[in-house]
Amino acid sequence: MYTSNQFSLDTFPVGCMITDSKRRILYCNRYLEEYHGYSTDELLGADLFTLLSKASQIMYDTYLVPILVREKKCHEIRLCMVSHCNTALPIVVSILCDDSANGKFFWSISSARRSDRLFEELTETKQLLEQKVSLLRRISDTDQLTGLPNRTAMAKHLDQKIIEQKKDDMAFALAFVDLDGFKEVNDRYGHHAGDKVIQLVATRLASNLRSDDVIARFGGDEFVIFLNGRFSARLVEESLSRLINKLAEPFEIDSVLLTLSASIGVTLYPQSKEVEPDHLIRQADQAMYQAKLSGKNQICLFNVDNEHVQQSKQSELAAIKAAMEANEFELYYQPKINMLTGRVLGVEALIRWNHPSEGLKAPVTFLPVLTNTSTGIALGRWVITSALRQLQTWLQQGLDVHVSVNIDGYHLQNSHFLHDLSNILADFPSLPKHRLELEVLETSTIEDVGHVYSVLNACRVMGIRISLDDFGTGYSSLSHLRDLSVDTLKIDRSFVQNMLTSTGDRAILKGVIGFARAFECDVVAEGVETLAHGQQLIEFGCECGQGYFIAHPMPAQDLPGWMDKWHQQGFKKKFNRDVI
C-alpha cells in the first residue's frame, strides 16, 4: 500500500499506478478496478502504453508513439477509453512525478466526467507526491545524527563538480578527516557522549569552512570535506591546519572536558589522469591513513606519483602471477667447484623468466617488485620444489651434486615457512636432505632475528645445510656467526672482483676467510671472473669458487654435459700454478 500522512493511493478517487522505467505496472489502486473494469491480475505486469492503445488506437498513434520514439516524458494526454458498457469515457493520463533514479514513475488515470474537480484533485495529488519524493531524497542524502550531507550526497556533489571543472577549469581539494582517540571516548563515556562529540565536531568543522565548501559525514568519526577553488597544496594545508587547531580545543560533554585531535588526508583535483569521485575519496583516505602512521594530529597530502608507482607494482605482480600459472619461470644452475682439486661441489639454483615477448629475463628485472609480498613467498616455494625435483632427477642419473636455493628474510619470517618446507620435502622422501642448502642473504631485512635463527636451526636439525650469502656486506656479520650455526660463508662478488687492484678488498677477503676458519665454516667466493682471481683466492686459503670463468648459469639439461667436459678436458687443474 502506497500511503503518506496526508493521502492514500488505495482510497484516492483517481486511478493511480506505479510503473517501472519500462512502463510495466507494479501497483494500481482500487479506482482502476471499480471504474474501468480491469482486475488487479490483468493490470499488474501489463505495459501501460499497450493498455492505453487498446482504448484508442488513434490517440495512441498520435500521442504515445512520438513519446516512445523521442524518449520524452509524458505529462498529460487526453484520450477516450471504451468501458465494458461500450460507452466512450474521456480520461486523462498523467505523470504525477518520476523517481527516475530508482527507475519508477507515478501515473494517474482519471475520468474527465467531473473534470474540474478531478483536475483539482489531480493537482493536489501531484503536489503531495512531489513533496513526498523530495522529502525522501533529502532524507536519503542527509546524515541523521549531524544533519550534514552523507556519503551519497558527497558522491553526487563530486560528480557535479568534476563536470563543472572540465567546463570552467577550476581546481578543488578533497580532505578525509578521522578523529584520533574517538574509540576511547566511546568506550569510557558511552555512545551517548560519543554522539554528542560527533555533533560538536560537525558544528565546529562546518562553522570554520567557507560558504562554497561542503562537509559530509561518512559514518563513525569520519568526515569528508570538499574545498572549493584551492589552487595549491600550501593553501589547502593552511585551511586544514586551522581545522586541526579548532578540533584540538576541548569539548565539554556533560560537564566533562574531552580533548581530541584529528588526522587529515587530502588530495587535489584535477590530476594528470582522469579519476572518478570514489577514486578521489580513496586517495584522501589513504593519505589520512599515512597521517595516522606518521604520528596522528597532522595533515598528509596524497602523492599521485606514489600511486602511479603502486599501480605499476600491482601490474607487475599480476604479470608475475600470470607467468607462474603459465609455467614461464625456469631454474638455471651455476656450478660451485673446488678450484684446487676441480671437484664439482654443487650448483646454485637461479631463477629466469621466459617472457613470451621480452625473451629470457634475469632475476634483477623482476625480483625487486616481489620484495615483502605474498607473491614472492609463492615464487620462493616454487623455486624450492623445482630445485628438489631436479636434484632428484640428477641423482637418479648418477650425478654427485648438491643444490642451493636463495631464501630472503621476508620468506624466512613467514609463520608457515617450516610447515611449507616440511610438506615440500615430504614429496621427496628418498632425497637426502643434506643435498639441499638454503642460502640466506646477509643483507636481508630481518626484523625478528630470534625467530629466523630458530627457523634456520630447525632446518639444520632436519639435515639441511645453511649458507650465509653476500657475507661482509651487512652490518651484523659477526653477530650472525656468533648466534647462528652456518655451514658455509659466501664472500660477496664485490670484494672478489676488485681484489687484484684494491688492498682494502684483499684485507677484507683475508678477514672473511679467517672468520670462516675460526667458526669452522666452509667458504665460497663468488665472482671468480678470471684465472688470476682464482689463483689469488687459493693463495689466501679459499679453495672453493663460483663465477663466469668457471661456468655461466645454464639450463638443467646442460649440466651433465658440462660436468663431463669439465672433467674430461682436465679443467680441474686450471687453477693449479704447479701445472700451468
Side-chain angles (χ1 to χ4, degrees):
M1 180 183 295
Y2 290 81
T3 62
S4 74
N5 293 333
Q6 297 164 297
F7 68 93
S8 167
L9 293 183
D10 277 345
T11 59
F12 199 74
V14 173
C16 294
M17 65 179 66
I18 295 174
T19 74
D20 60 18
S21 59
K22 295 182 178 179
R23 303 176 309 282
R24 290 186 297 247
I25 298 174
L26 304 175
Y27 160 83
C28 58
N29 67 353
R30 296 175 185 173
Y31 183 87
L32 290 174
E33 273 193 88
E34 295 174 2
Y35 291 89
H36 296 298
Y38 287 97
S39 69
T40 301
D41 291 340
E42 289 177 296
L43 291 172
L44 293 182
D47 181 273
L48 173 61
F49 283 3
T50 301
L51 183 70
L52 295 176
S53 71
K54 295 178 181 178
S56 172
Q57 189 65 43
I58 296 174
M59 299 303 291
Y60 177 82
D61 293 339
T62 304
Y63 291 100
L64 299 185
V65 171
I67 292 170
L68 291 172
V69 172
R70 298 171 193 167
E71 297 184 352
K72 293 181 179 179
K73 292 178 182 176
C74 169
H75 289 92
E76 284 192 359
I77 297 174
R78 293 170 179 258
L79 66 160
C80 292
M81 173 177 276
V82 181
S83 69
H84 287 294
C85 60
N86 294 321
T87 304
L89 298 176
I91 66 168
V92 177
V93 179
S94 294
I95 279 189
L96 303 179
C97 59
D98 69 272
D99 185 16
S100 51
N102 294 318
K104 291 183 180 179
F105 296 87
F106 296 81
W107 300 80
S108 78
I109 297 179
S110 58
S111 169
R113 185 174 286 172
R114 297 180 296 126
S115 58
D116 294 339
R117 174 59 187 151
L118 285 173
F119 287 148
E120 184 179 323
E121 292 170 348
L122 183 59
T123 301
E124 292 173 358
T125 304
K126 285 182 183 179
Q127 293 172 346
L128 291 174
L129 281 173
E130 287 168 354
Q131 290 171 8
K132 181 179 180 182
V133 171
S134 176
L135 176 62
L136 289 174
R137 285 174 177 167
R138 286 198 301 272
I139 292 173
S140 67
D141 287 348
T142 304
D143 175 63
Q144 298 305 299
L145 179 62
T146 63
L148 294 175
N150 59 16
R151 181 189 298 261
T152 302
M154 178 58 79
K156 293 177 182 177
H157 184 74
L158 283 177
D159 270 328
Q160 183 61 36
K161 288 301 178 180
I162 287 176
I163 293 172
E164 292 176 6
Q165 191 281 328
K166 293 175 181 177
K167 183 188 304 181
D168 303 328
D169 197 28
M170 296 290 289
F172 64 80
L174 194 71
F176 200 106
V177 182
D178 186 273
L179 300 180
D180 304 323
F182 179 73
K183 183 178 183 300
E184 287 74 10
V185 171
N186 258 342
D187 292 345
R188 183 173 181 179
Y189 299 102
H191 291 290
H192 175 69
D195 287 347
K196 286 189 175 181
V197 168
I198 293 298
Q199 290 171 333
L200 290 175
V201 166
T203 300
R204 199 172 288 184
L205 287 173
S207 62
N208 285 279
L209 293 172
R210 300 184 311 183
S211 59
D212 55 351
D213 295 334
V214 176
I215 177 173
R217 183 186 178 218
F218 264 42
D221 59 341
E222 296 177 340
F223 298 84
V224 170
I225 303 174
F226 172 88
L227 300 166
N228 194 42
R230 266 58 170 200
F231 296 99
S232 71
R234 181 182 62 80
L235 291 175
V236 170
E237 290 182 2
E238 287 178 359
S239 298
L240 295 176
S241 294
R242 289 194 292 270
L243 290 183
I244 278 188
N245 293 335
K246 285 293 182 180
L247 292 179
E249 296 174 3
F251 295 90
E252 184 175 348
I253 306 295
D254 298 333
S255 300
V256 177
L257 290 180
L258 302 176
T259 302
L260 295 172
S261 62
S263 297
I264 302 180
V266 60
T267 188
L268 305 179
Y269 188 89
Q271 299 177 7
S272 58
K273 292 185 177 180
E274 191 57 50
V275 290
E276 297 296 325
D278 60 337
H279 194 177
L280 284 174
I281 293 170
R282 286 199 302 272
Q283 288 181 348
D285 188 15
Q286 290 173 27
M288 180 276 295
Y289 183 68
Q290 289 302 315
K292 292 272 189 187
L293 294 179
S294 300
K296 302 179 181 180
N297 193 33
Q298 58 187 285
I299 301 162
C300 183
L301 179 65
F302 182 80
N303 190 322
V304 176
D305 292 335
N306 283 347
E307 182 185 38
H308 295 160
V309 170
Q310 289 300 315
Q311 289 174 344
S312 176
K313 180 177 179 179
Q314 292 303 316
S315 177
E316 291 180 55
L317 286 174
I320 290 172
K321 290 179 182 178
M324 291 175 64
E325 293 176 359
N327 296 317
E328 293 174 4
F329 289 104
E330 180 183 0
L331 292 183
Y332 275 44
Y333 298 89
Q334 187 175 32
K336 294 179 281 188
I337 69 163
N338 185 305
M339 297 180 289
L340 193 59
T341 66
R343 178 171 174 262
V344 178
L345 304 172
V347 292
E348 179 181 1
L350 301 166
I351 194 168
R352 299 290 186 269
W353 183 356
N354 291 307
H355 197 282
S357 60
E358 299 178 25
L360 190 67
K361 298 184 67 170
V364 69
T365 64
F366 60 87
L367 286 186
V369 76
L370 293 170
T371 302
N372 297 349
T373 65
S374 59
T375 305
I377 291 176
L379 192 60
R381 287 195 295 263
W382 177 87
V383 169
I384 296 173
T385 304
S386 300
L388 289 177
R389 185 179 297 112
Q390 185 58 59
L391 176 61
Q392 180 171 267
T393 299
W394 282 330
L395 292 177
Q396 291 170 350
Q397 293 173 352
L399 270 66
D400 182 13
V401 68
H402 295 68
V403 172
S404 62
V405 296
N406 294 283
I407 304 293
D408 68 18
Y410 185 74
H411 194 178
L412 279 174
Q413 291 173 100
N414 182 266
S415 58
H416 300 291
F417 177 79
L418 278 177
H419 180 264
D420 291 343
L421 181 60
S422 298
N423 286 340
I424 293 172
L425 290 170
D427 292 334
F428 306 94
S430 62
L431 196 66
K433 293 181 177 59
H434 70 274
R435 297 272 182 176
L436 173 65
E437 184 175 65
L438 301 182
E439 293 193 12
V440 182
L441 285 176
E442 200 256 334
T443 53
S444 288
T445 302
I446 298 176
E447 298 174 356
D448 191 346
V449 176
H451 174 71
V452 170
Y453 286 170
S454 65
V455 168
L456 293 179
N457 284 326
C459 291
R460 294 191 83 241
V461 170
M462 295 164 62
I464 299 169
R465 292 175 59 84
I466 304 297
S467 173
L468 200 57
D469 199 3
D470 292 348
F471 187 79
T473 57
Y475 298 98
S476 54
S477 304
L478 291 178
S479 64
H480 283 338
L481 286 177
R482 181 193 64 201
D483 300 328
L484 176 65
S485 297
V486 300
D487 299 287
T488 305
L489 294 184
K490 291 191 74 175
I491 304 173
D492 185 65
R493 69 182 67 249
S494 62
F495 302 124
V496 175
Q497 288 174 342
N498 298 321
M499 63 180 288
L500 300 177
T501 57
S502 170
T503 56
D505 283 350
R506 286 198 295 271
I508 292 175
L509 281 170
K510 292 177 181 178
V512 172
I513 293 169
F515 287 143
R517 288 173 180 166
F519 288 96
E520 300 180 342
C521 300
D522 294 332
V523 60
V524 176
E526 297 179 310
V528 180
E529 310 297 332
T530 68
L531 176 63
H533 283 93
Q535 290 172 337
Q536 185 73 79
L537 285 165
I538 292 172
E539 287 187 6
F540 288 166
C542 176
E543 299 178 358
C544 301
Q546 178 182 4
Y548 289 170
F549 186 70
I550 299 165
H552 286 255
M554 64 189 75
Q557 63 268 22
D558 293 351
L559 184 68
W562 177 87
M563 291 180 67
D564 288 342
K565 186 177 179 180
W566 175 262
H567 292 300
Q568 290 172 8
Q569 296 187 11
F571 290 167
K572 64 181 181 180
K573 299 179 181 179
K574 183 178 276 291
F575 294 100
N576 193 327
R577 288 185 186 273
D578 297 334
V579 175
I580 297 174

